[in-house]
Amino acid sequence: MAGQPAAVQLGPGRGVRWRRWLGLSVPALIALALLVAGVGADWLAPHDPEFINLGARLQPPVFDGGSWDYALGTDQVGRDIFSRLLHGARISLIVVGIVVPGAALIGTLLGLISGWAGGLIGQLLMRLVDVQLAMPAILFAVLLAALVGASLRNVIIILLIWTWPSYARLVRADVLSLKQRDFVTASRATGAGPAWILRKHLFPNVVNSIVIIMTLEVALVILAEAALTFLGVGAPPGTASWGVMISEGRDFMSVAWWPIWLPGLALLTIALTGNLMGDWVRDALDPRLRNLR
């Protein structure tokens, strides 16, 4: 009727919510497939990923004229690529499962301490962050490999050192802003100590930002592990790792495309999936972006 105010829609409409959840479903399914592949590689792999069969070397995938015995073909020494992809997913999961939570814990603790303490302590911690960010990760990785040898453990250490500063900088900036708020001032007035305020007030207000960074870091860590392994810093040659597969397959690109393209496509898919899920988590947790899609 004329004269009645128009209805105001609060929050995203049904169509927006449906598109949002549809945008999450595909990356979530891919992430679930990666998890299943990594955890169940021993049961899902049709062949031993390390078994060498020179009589079946460089067999093409089934869609390129190969046989179902090796559905995705074999590499230069006859190892089954599908089985190696599954076990390579396990290595990626191990690295992500250690590096992402570990870097988040280190960076969050240092960021909370630096933001709350301020002064000389805060400046020293931030200078440490600046040194870490200025350090070329690739050169540091090569130096460490030259000193102690290439191993998956070294890759994890390098990635921990490389990724924690991003958490520390963000948490420190949030804490510097939050500690000036009225609810922190009120807690101080009631006699609350720094540990209680950090635990009860500041950390709950920065946890959303931490979760967003962790989600976005998943793809970065997987790509970094593959890059370091490709350079010979990570898992030793012959290991069923996506980086190793690409490194070993590059010498045979002129005669066989699948040893390098298939692990490369796996990395590309996981990287896109991680970025899409990170964007979704950011939009879901950030109130400024929650109603824009």
Side-chain angles (χ1 to χ4, degrees):
M1 296 178 60
Q4 288 185 341
V8 178
Q9 182 179 2
L10 299 177
R14 180 179 300 177
V16 175
R17 291 195 300 268
W18 182 84
R19 289 194 300 270
R20 179 182 295 173
W21 283 105
L22 181 62
L24 173 67
S25 60
V26 175
L29 289 175
I30 296 176
L32 179 62
L34 174 68
L35 180 62
V36 171
V39 174
D42 291 333
W43 298 276
L44 296 174
H47 301 278
D48 183 348
E50 307 298 335
F51 179 72
I52 296 176
N53 181 9
L54 294 178
R57 62 189 301 269
L58 295 179
Q59 293 288 323
V62 65
F63 51 82
D64 195 21
S67 68
W68 282 104
D69 290 337
Y70 301 101
L72 295 183
T74 60
D75 62 9
Q76 65 278 2
V77 292
R79 294 171 297 194
D80 181 46
I81 289 180
F82 179 63
S83 300
R84 292 177 64 78
L85 285 175
L86 293 176
H87 283 79
R90 172 178 294 177
I91 290 181
S92 296
L93 287 178
I94 292 173
V95 174
V96 167
I98 297 175
V99 171
V100 173
L105 177 62
I106 296 171
T108 300
L109 288 176
L110 293 180
L112 287 171
I113 295 171
S114 174
W116 178 261
L120 181 60
I121 296 177
Q123 290 299 321
L124 287 176
L125 288 175
M126 283 303 100
R127 296 297 74 79
L128 178 61
V129 169
D130 292 339
V131 170
Q132 296 296 99
L133 292 175
M135 183 185 302
I138 299 297
L139 293 180
F140 176 76
V142 173
L143 175 62
L144 183 61
L147 292 176
V148 298
S151 68
L152 188 62
R153 180 190 62 184
N154 292 343
V155 168
I156 292 174
I157 294 174
I158 292 166
L159 292 178
L160 278 172
I161 296 173
W162 189 21
T163 54
W164 72 262
S166 58
Y167 296 93
R169 288 174 67 99
L170 179 64
V171 171
R172 179 178 185 269
D174 287 347
V175 170
L176 287 174
S177 174
L178 289 168
K179 73 178 185 178
Q180 308 298 329
R181 304 284 290 273
D182 292 339
F183 62 88
V184 175
T185 304
S187 294
R188 283 176 167 176
T190 59
W196 195 91
I197 294 175
L198 287 171
R199 186 175 69 254
K200 295 294 185 179
H201 288 305
L202 298 183
F203 177 73
N205 280 281
V206 301
V207 68
N208 285 355
S209 300
I210 297 170
V211 172
I212 292 171
I213 297 181
M214 291 179 68
T215 309
L216 293 171
E217 287 283 325
V218 169
L220 175 63
V221 168
I222 291 177
L223 289 175
E225 180 272 327
L228 293 175
T229 303
F230 176 82
L231 293 174
V233 178
T239 305
S241 166
W242 292 348
V244 170
M245 294 174 68
I246 294 174
S247 178
E248 294 177 344
R250 60 179 173 170
D251 296 330
F252 300 89
M253 288 183 61
S254 60
V255 295
W257 58 269
W258 51 92
I260 188 172
W261 274 90
L262 294 179
L265 288 174
L267 280 172
L268 176 62
T269 302
I270 295 303
L272 291 176
T273 299
N275 288 330
L276 289 174
M277 292 193 68
D279 290 341
W280 185 91
V281 171
R282 180 195 61 192
D283 295 349
L285 296 181
D286 192 337
R288 294 169 298 180
L289 301 173
R290 192 172 295 157
N291 295 329
L292 296 181
R293 291 189 176 186

